[in-house]
Amino acid sequence: MKRWVIPLIALVALAFTTTKAYEWRWRRESSPPPADPAQVTFPHTVAAVGLVEPRSENIAISTPVPGLVMAVHVKVGDRVRSGVPLFALDDRDLRAELALRTRNLEVARARLARLEHAPRPEELPPAQAKVRAAEATLADAQNNQRLMERIPDKRAVREEELLQRREATNLAAARLEEAKALLALLQAGTWRRDLEVSRTEVAYAEAQVHRVEADLERLTVRAPMDGEILQLVVF
């Protein structure tokens, strides 16, 4: 008796499943279209099925570098010309770097201008005054030395004092030569090699600014050709 229980339960389950499947069968019901079809207003028409394609292939625009999109300048349906900005990436870091590079360029140019206009007009009078002072000191030392050397009685002059007068004269002469050399250095202006180094620094700073400006330009994506915006998906 028990061996008929399981087949009986299976038959009941099969009958139940079949009944429900019949009740839940696919029902094809007509539904109204979401929009009325287009009305033909011409007496003679030609119908055809086809695919409308653009004159050129669809172009997917991407970014040259990874980054966060900060601004979108177009919308779907806009007609754009070649070179028009489409969207821009985050450029705050490069803006800060550009400000730093620009300041370095200004400092390099100011340093070059200072070297090119050296010496300053107000630097010459103090150097000339030092030359005149050194000349006066040398003349005074020479006079003192001559006076001591002209004393008839050599016993009245100590040898040590005479040597001191001679050393004072030599020291005054050396200081005069130093003052004249400094004056000549100022009058000669900046050394040519220093000017070349400074000009190289300016050129390097300008190259750094141009590099950052080029990186900033890359963050603004522009239309590669004339066309129409068909899709706008930013992620």
Side-chain angles (χ1 to χ4, degrees):
M1 185 64 181
K2 292 182 178 179
R3 62 182 180 179
W4 296 102
V5 174
I6 294 177
L8 182 60
I9 295 174
L11 290 174
V12 173
L14 179 60
F16 179 77
T17 303
T18 303
T19 303
K20 290 301 181 181
Y22 180 77
E23 292 178 355
W24 295 343
R25 70 186 185 279
W26 180 263
R27 296 185 178 89
R28 295 183 178 274
E29 298 179 355
S30 60
S31 59
D36 295 335
Q39 301 294 327
V40 179
T41 59
F42 301 98
H44 304 288
T45 60
V46 176
V49 177
L51 178 64
V52 178
E53 295 182 352
R55 180 177 303 175
S56 65
E57 63 180 5
N58 294 341
I59 301 176
I61 304 298
S62 182
T63 60
V65 293
L68 178 65
V69 176
M70 297 296 292
V72 179
H73 305 294
V74 295
K75 61 182 181 297
V76 176
D78 288 351
R79 298 194 64 85
V80 297
R81 301 187 64 83
S82 177
V84 172
L86 301 179
F87 58 92
L89 302 180
D90 186 7
D91 60 355
R92 289 173 291 183
D93 291 344
L94 287 179
R95 291 289 180 188
E97 184 178 358
L98 178 60
L100 177 61
R101 299 297 183 184
T102 302
R103 181 61 62 182
N104 291 339
L105 176 58
E106 293 175 356
V107 172
R109 286 175 174 171
R111 187 182 299 115
L112 175 60
R114 184 185 63 185
L115 294 178
E116 288 177 341
H117 294 84
R120 292 159 46 189
E122 58 270 21
E123 290 178 340
L124 292 178
Q128 294 170 348
K130 288 182 180 180
V131 171
R132 291 192 296 270
E135 290 174 345
T137 302
L138 176 60
D140 183 65
Q142 289 174 342
N143 291 332
N144 292 332
Q145 179 183 346
R146 282 194 299 269
L147 289 175
M148 186 165 289
E149 291 175 344
R150 290 177 181 177
I151 296 177
D153 190 358
K154 300 300 181 182
R155 293 175 299 176
V157 179
R158 293 186 305 172
E159 185 68 20
E160 180 182 358
E161 187 175 357
L162 181 59
L163 292 177
Q164 289 178 351
R165 295 294 175 89
R166 289 173 179 173
E167 290 297 328
T169 301
N170 294 334
L171 179 61
R175 288 179 176 174
L176 176 59
E177 294 297 326
E178 180 184 8
K180 288 182 177 180
L182 292 176
L183 177 60
L185 182 63
L186 284 176
Q187 292 174 338
T190 306
W191 189 31
R192 180 174 57 85
R193 297 297 180 124
D194 289 339
L195 286 174
E196 292 176 357
V197 171
S198 185
R199 292 190 180 105
T200 302
E201 291 177 349
V202 171
Y204 177 77
E206 289 176 345
Q208 292 291 326
V209 170
H210 294 333
R211 180 189 63 81
V212 178
E213 289 175 344
D215 291 340
L216 275 172
E217 180 63 24
R218 294 172 61 194
L219 295 184
T220 300
V221 179
R222 302 178 181 274
M225 59 183 298
D226 297 349
E228 181 180 355
I229 305 299
L230 302 178
Q231 194 176 26
L232 184 60
V233 179
V234 179
F235 56 88

